[in-house]
Amino acid sequence: MASAARKQPLYDQLVDLVSDKIEHEMHPGDMLPSERDLAEKYGLSRTTVRLAMTELEELGLVSRRHGKGTFVSSVGRDTTDLSGAYSFTDQMRSLGRVPRTEVLDFELREASKVVSAHMDLKLGEKVFRMRRLRLADGIPMMLERSYVPAKLFVGLTQRDVESKPLYEIMEQDYHNKIKSAEESFGARAARPDEAKLLDIDEGAPVLHLVRTTYNSKNFVIEYTRSVARADMFEYKVVHTRS
């Protein structure tokens, strides 16, 4: 560190050094050395290292988990366009990551008042309800609770959604062509059950997303409420002026 440019603050030098390692040598989810180890390795004070880690976190390159350490975040290199990506699986693959889905529960049930209103169904109509944990490279990314109308997907099973992406099932197996999706989002704090599944601290910031998906006949074929890790997703929206 001593040979670096004199005018650049020491913590800025460390930010540059660590960000370069993240860019060229590390992967999302990798754990960084502790502040003590970094201080000893580069001959810096703990205060300087802490300032650098804060800067890296604000840049979206790392996320700090209380009691666990500091980890490489995916946000700094790959912006996940949630507004334009229908498929979590396809989006992760496009970023060079390995997607995986764990189906936490799956059941056939009657649509509640809220669900039937969002899906334009009669109260009590049957829906498949599934809760899924979405991972990339083994890192929990998103927790989804989805509802699909049973009358359009007769015979759908948990094994089906465990073995194949849901949208592929809809289009390839049930010939429901996806036409559009409406999605709203906001920020809130993670509840205890969500934090445990997403491997984040209780109260950590998360994105709350609500998606309604339509087929080519304008029928609602999916209603999903998701919670996404804020340190793993950056929401991109493009505005065009005509």
Side-chain angles (χ1 to χ4, degrees), residues 14-219:
L14 184 58
V15 167
D16 289 345
L17 190 152
V18 175
S19 61
D20 185 71
K21 287 185 176 294
I22 289 173
E23 181 68 26
H24 298 103
E25 301 176 20
M26 304 183 76
H27 303 281
D30 284 355
M31 186 175 180
L32 273 69
S34 68
E35 290 183 359
R36 176 182 295 177
D37 289 343
L38 287 171
E40 291 179 355
K41 181 175 181 179
Y42 296 109
L44 300 171
S45 69
R46 292 283 294 275
T47 299
T48 298
V49 173
R50 193 170 296 116
L51 286 170
M53 291 299 104
T54 298
E55 180 73 12
L56 288 165
E57 187 173 33
E58 290 179 353
L59 289 170
L61 293 174
V62 304
S63 60
R64 289 189 279 189
R65 306 178 201 169
H66 182 68
K68 295 183 179 180
T70 303
F71 299 83
V72 177
S73 170
S74 65
V75 172
R77 282 178 291 177
D78 300 311
T79 299
T80 301
D81 185 1
L82 294 176
S83 63
Y86 289 139
S87 169
F88 174 89
T89 299
D90 291 344
Q91 184 72 8
M92 291 300 107
R93 286 173 178 167
S94 74
L95 297 176
R97 308 187 68 177
V98 180
R100 181 165 63 87
T101 297
E102 292 182 9
V103 180
L104 304 177
D105 50 65
F106 181 97
E107 63 178 334
L108 178 65
R109 62 188 298 177
E110 293 183 355
S112 66
K113 185 176 181 179
V114 172
V115 172
S116 59
H118 279 93
M119 300 184 70
D120 196 23
L121 298 173
K122 294 179 181 178
L123 184 63
E125 277 196 65
K126 298 290 186 179
V127 293
F128 289 109
R129 174 194 177 276
M130 64 195 80
R131 196 163 58 109
R132 296 175 296 168
L133 181 64
R134 316 304 295 272
L135 306 95
D137 297 334
I139 301 171
M141 302 279 283
M142 179 183 289
L143 182 63
E144 295 182 335
R145 182 180 288 105
S146 299
Y147 303 84
V148 300
K151 63 185 178 183
L152 295 181
F153 302 98
V154 176
L156 184 66
T157 67
Q158 179 170 336
R159 180 174 294 182
D160 292 334
V161 295
E162 287 175 335
S163 62
K164 193 174 182 180
L166 180 60
Y167 290 154
E168 287 186 17
I169 293 173
M170 289 178 164
E171 294 197 317
Q172 297 175 9
D173 300 344
Y174 288 89
H175 310 293
N176 269 277
K177 181 67 176 177
I178 295 172
K179 178 185 178 183
S180 63
E182 297 175 354
E183 193 165 58
S184 60
F185 67 99
R188 64 170 173 80
R191 297 195 297 260
D193 57 324
E194 298 165 343
K196 183 177 181 179
L197 288 167
L198 292 172
D199 193 25
I200 56 178
D201 292 332
E202 180 182 341
V206 292
L207 288 173
H208 180 238
L209 305 115
V210 180
R211 170 176 288 183
T212 306
T213 306
Y214 299 83
N215 67 8
S216 57
K217 296 180 180 180
N218 286 324
F219 293 137

